[in-house]
Amino acid sequence: MTRIEGTIPDLIAQLTRPFRNAETYTLESSGTSYSLRHRVRTPSLLEQLQHAAPLTGGGDHARSGYSSRPAGSIEAIDTLIWIDREAARWVRDLGEDDPGDTAACVRLVGSLLPSTEVCGPRPQRDGNRAPDCCARHAIEHDVRRWWTQARIVSGWDIAAWKPNNSCPLCAERGTLRVRVNTSTDVTALCVGCRETWDNATIALLAEHIRLENHEDDAA
């Protein structure tokens, strides 16, 4: 999946609308190389979660009832429900009615964002701690978390790495999911406590894993 350096509208668009990826590949013929680009339509991240966790009864809302599911879909179900509940809470907190659909709810949060209180420029990141300065920055923090969680759990094009390490926040072992696209594009999620790490904070998680694995002792 192509990395989007993200403004909040970019992330909401990826969560709720299909988008196109362009992959470059090379063909060789008669000693000549040709670079071509292959464009692929990619479902929205929420739609990818829904494919991983199909809903019963023909509905597409995360709060619909679920029958028994394959074990592989449980993380997608949990992520979809988590995003749905957080988005619905923000919609209600901002004085609107929950539209009853996860994607619509996330889009509504995005449309309401410009009208929220804001304290000033985006605050300096304090690790993974959620900002408590104003509604604008708290919502932006949550949208980035939704995008990170959906991107990792959907596994549409790159399966997440599951290290046998504990989460530095909740201490549960085996719950970390790490998605490595490139050396400079790494994100992670704990499916236990729902903490996320992006490119700005992934070094904190990497250091935790390194120390837990006693890599200094092996050096």
Side-chain angles (χ1 to χ4, degrees):
M1 181 183 298
T2 302
R3 180 184 175 194
I4 297 291
E5 280 289 355
T7 67
I8 296 303
D10 286 337
L11 304 189
I12 288 176
Q14 280 203 44
L15 281 163
T16 62
R17 297 183 177 89
F19 50 94
R20 290 189 176 275
N21 281 334
E23 302 293 340
T24 302
Y25 62 98
T26 302
L27 293 178
E28 292 190 5
S29 177
S30 301
T32 302
S33 296
Y34 302 89
S35 293
L36 302 174
R37 291 176 69 81
H38 178 58
R39 298 184 181 276
V40 179
R41 180 187 181 277
T42 303
S44 71
L45 290 173
L46 292 178
E47 187 179 349
Q48 292 176 34
L49 291 177
Q50 289 172 338
H51 282 303
L55 303 178
T56 61
D60 64 348
H61 191 37
R63 279 162 284 180
S64 302
Y66 291 92
S67 59
S68 61
R69 300 294 179 192
S73 72
I74 298 301
E75 290 178 7
I77 292 172
D78 288 346
T79 301
L80 198 58
I81 291 174
W82 187 276
I83 294 171
D84 180 86
R85 288 176 175 170
E86 287 199 342
R89 175 179 57 81
W90 274 119
V91 167
R92 292 191 295 269
D93 287 351
L94 296 174
E96 298 291 335
D97 293 330
D98 177 1
D101 171 84
T102 307
C105 212
V106 171
R107 284 194 294 267
L108 183 54
V109 170
S111 68
L112 293 171
L113 187 62
S115 65
T116 57
E117 62 171 321
V118 60
C119 62
R122 187 180 177 192
Q124 185 72 27
R125 294 285 295 275
D126 182 11
N128 272 22
R129 184 176 302 173
D132 59 2
C133 51
C134 64
R136 178 82 55 87
H137 293 141
I139 292 171
E140 290 177 347
H141 175 82
D142 281 352
V143 169
R144 292 181 186 279
R145 289 174 59 249
W146 301 341
W147 179 82
T148 299
Q149 292 182 45
R151 191 181 186 220
I152 292 170
V153 174
S154 67
W156 187 263
D157 55 352
I158 300 176
W161 172 47
K162 302 178 181 180
N164 185 29
N165 290 91
S166 67
C167 170
L169 274 297
C170 69
E172 191 170 350
R173 182 172 291 274
T175 57
L176 294 174
R177 304 292 181 263
V178 182
R179 178 184 171 115
V180 181
N181 286 308
T182 68
S183 61
T184 58
D185 183 12
V186 184
T187 52
L189 160 71
C190 172
V191 297
C193 68
R194 314 308 297 186
E195 184 60 272
T196 60
W197 293 263
D198 60 17
N199 291 315
T201 57
I202 195 66
L204 300 174
L205 180 62
E207 179 68 7
H208 167 77
I209 292 174
R210 185 179 67 81
L211 292 175
E212 192 170 73
N213 290 345
H214 305 293
E215 293 181 13
D216 282 344
D217 296 342

